[in-house]
Amino acid sequence: MNSIDPVILFFLFGLVAGLLRSELKLPSALYDSLSIFLLLAIGLKGGQGLATQPLGPLLPQLLAVVVLGVVQTLIAFGALRAIFRFDRPNAAATAAHYGSVSVATFAVAAAWLSSRSIDVEPQMAILLAVMEIPAILVGIVLARGVSKDTDWRSLGHEAFLGKGVTLLLGGMAIGWAAGPEGLQPIKIMYFDLFKAVLALFLLEMGLIVSRQVDELKRRGLSLIAFGLAMPLLSACLGLGTGMMLGFSVGGMTMLATLAASASYIAVPAAMRIAVPEANPAVSLAGSLGVTFPFNILAGIPLYHWMATQLTGATP
Amino acid sequence: MIPIQTEKRTLLTVFTEATLEHVLIKDIDRLGIRGYTICDARGKGSRGVRDATWDESKNIRIEIICARPQAETLLAHLQERYYSNYAMVACLSEVEVLRPGKF
């Protein structure tokens, strides 16, 4: 497996085209459609796997990843305040991005592992859905404290019933109810075409990432340093959690990737409403401009290598 | 030909970030405004180019036709609540409408 993954090449193509200010622009409806497809496919795959195993052991795992999300957000907030001198709203909003997860990074890791025939526990999709939420709530509390005028009802609605979580859980429910046999007729679209769709999605991601460069230049090295250090630290926490939960090498790699990834869809939207003083360009330049490319280009293989070292398995 | 009978109303136009859409709709409903039209938009302003290529750079344009006092109340609310932290431009203009009872 020496050739570069085409999925990564699509990303690099988008990135270069964007940096050269090419006219290339994908319609925004396509971006929306591709992300709906990816979320559903990830959900279906996870749900189908869950159909063949008992659901009882899931509970402690869900609890563990909620704690992981909260701890990551708190560490990121502390570091941004103390070391990187962010003001309170920006530190809280950025910390929430890093405590939450990125579906695109998850999808790349899933494709990376499956092309190497490395098995992953099917419940990763539900952990992905659950890990999206706690950081949002912690981020809001960090920014504003527990104040009376926070509209928790609508924030809760947005966090728990946002597009991402709804599609993931809906896909999982369908996959679980239909089971591997039932999914056979739609398998060709949702499983076999997954990587092809992911490639197209990453082309758009490359274009989006290229637009973060100006903001990164404005912010200087500190945001880049944070954007690289935070995923490494989070990945270690993720690996530790995965080990504690008795996951396989694939599962540990996946949990490390989830922990290391930073949100750029659900969290920015929620933070924009809940913490208006925070500048969304800063958080996005970090999560999209630095952390996302780092994770998909170098992070995933690194986390896999670390997982094999920790478990003593042969890579 | 039927003679055209128009009456004056105020058109409030708001250009802002798409993320605010559902929050603004709640504000509009609370003020008892009876109707509005929203469309996707893109453009450039003091906060740079918002080119609508993905979620975070999407803009919307909201148009509301209503009585002057209502439009002023909403405009004041927008100024107080959103102007300092969000990409937002709003303006008022006089329009002539048929069926004034609708507005």
Side-chain angles (χ1 to χ4, degrees):
Chain A
M1 202 79 202
N2 289 322
S3 58
I4 307 178
D5 198 321
V7 168
I8 300 297
L9 292 174
F10 269 77
F11 171 75
L12 294 174
F13 168 45
L15 186 64
V16 171
L19 290 174
L20 294 175
R21 314 231 173 243
S22 142
E23 288 289 306
L24 174 63
K25 197 171 146 186
L26 301 189
S28 79
L30 178 65
Y31 171 82
D32 287 343
S33 314
L34 294 178
S35 64
I36 290 171
F37 173 91
L38 291 176
L39 286 159
L40 272 177
I42 291 169
L44 284 170
K45 186 136 209 180
Q48 146 187 297
L50 282 182
T52 57
Q53 65 176 57
L55 298 179
L58 262 181
L59 273 180
Q61 295 175 9
L62 293 178
L63 193 68
V65 297
V66 167
V67 174
L68 178 62
V70 172
V71 169
Q72 274 178 254
T73 313
L74 294 175
I75 293 176
F77 179 73
L80 286 166
R81 289 287 280 156
I83 305 170
F84 297 92
R85 303 276 159 215
F86 273 44
D87 60 14
R88 196 180 177 92
N90 276 304
T94 307
H97 286 67
Y98 280 84
S100 187
V101 289
S102 139
V103 175
T105 314
F106 179 93
V108 175
W112 192 91
L113 290 166
S114 96
S115 69
R116 284 160 184 76
S117 311
I118 300 166
D119 284 333
V120 179
E121 284 80 353
Q123 64 268 40
M124 285 302 157
I126 200 166
L127 301 188
L128 165 70
V130 168
M131 273 184 89
E132 191 154 49
I133 301 163
I136 297 178
L137 306 176
V138 175
I140 294 169
V141 173
L142 286 173
R144 333 214 315 199
V146 185
S147 89
K148 275 206 190 109
D149 23 286
T150 309
D151 184 357
W152 288 107
R153 249 190 77 173
S154 69
L155 282 172
H157 186 266
E158 189 160 327
F160 289 96
L161 287 170
K163 179 176 116 181
V165 175
T166 307
L167 283 166
L168 277 172
L169 294 182
M172 290 198 82
I174 295 170
W176 184 77
E181 301 270 296
L183 290 181
Q184 208 57 33
I186 59 169
K187 183 176 158 282
I188 184 164
M189 167 148 167
Y190 286 100
F191 299 162
D192 301 351
L193 285 180
F194 183 78
K195 211 163 168 181
V197 175
L198 179 63
L200 193 52
F201 184 77
L202 284 186
L203 170 61
E204 171 68 7
M205 287 302 300
L207 290 169
I208 292 173
V209 169
S210 72
R211 281 184 224 119
Q212 307 301 321
V213 171
D214 290 340
E215 184 64 24
L216 275 178
K217 278 191 200 146
R218 220 169 294 145
R219 295 280 147 187
L221 279 177
S222 68
L223 193 59
I224 298 178
F226 177 78
L228 295 175
M230 192 60 209
L232 287 172
L233 179 69
S234 296
C236 293
L237 294 174
L239 285 169
T241 311
M243 210 167 171
M244 199 181 74
L245 295 171
F247 283 175
S248 65
V249 169
M252 281 172 67
T253 308
M254 212 50 161
L255 194 56
T257 307
L258 275 180
S261 70
S263 168
Y264 61 89
I265 297 178
V267 178
M271 287 297 136
R272 196 71 196 105
I273 302 296
V275 191
E277 314 88 300
N279 179 359
V282 176
S283 318
L284 281 173
S287 76
L288 269 176
V290 183
T291 306
F292 177 75
F294 170 74
N295 275 329
I296 65 163
L297 297 175
I300 295 166
L302 174 68
Y303 310 146
H304 176 251
W305 178 80
M306 285 158 80
T308 54
Q309 295 299 309
L310 275 172
T311 53
T314 43
Chain B
M1 206 175 90
I2 310 162
I4 290 182
Q5 287 234 317
T6 60
E7 236 179 74
K8 286 221 163 81
R9 285 290 181 275
T10 299
L11 167 66
L12 170 59
T13 313
V14 186
F15 307 90
T16 191
E17 303 173 25
T19 5
L20 279 182
E21 180 171 326
H22 64 276
V23 188
L24 292 177
I25 287 174
K26 271 191 208 155
D27 292 345
I28 291 170
D29 286 341
R30 208 181 42 237
L31 286 174
I33 290 167
R34 282 188 230 164
Y36 52 82
T37 299
I38 300 178
C39 35
D40 293 330
R42 56 181 184 274
K44 183 183 171 183
S46 60
R47 288 168 190 257
V49 175
R50 306 208 16 104
D51 56 7
T53 45
W54 69 300
D55 300 8
E56 288 316 299
S57 64
K58 280 182 184 153
N59 267 15
I60 50 169
R61 183 177 71 193
I62 310 176
E63 284 165 303
I64 301 157
I65 299 174
C66 58
R68 181 90 194 177
Q70 263 182 326
E72 283 178 1
T73 313
L74 181 55
L75 186 58
H77 171 73
L78 295 179
Q79 185 183 16
E80 188 206 322
R81 185 74 198 274
Y82 304 107
Y83 261 43
S84 48
N85 291 316
Y86 293 98
M88 183 179 277
V89 169
C91 54
L92 296 176
S93 48
E94 289 294 311
V95 289
E96 289 179 49
V97 296
L98 293 168
R99 300 178 296 173
K102 275 168 74 80
F103 310 98

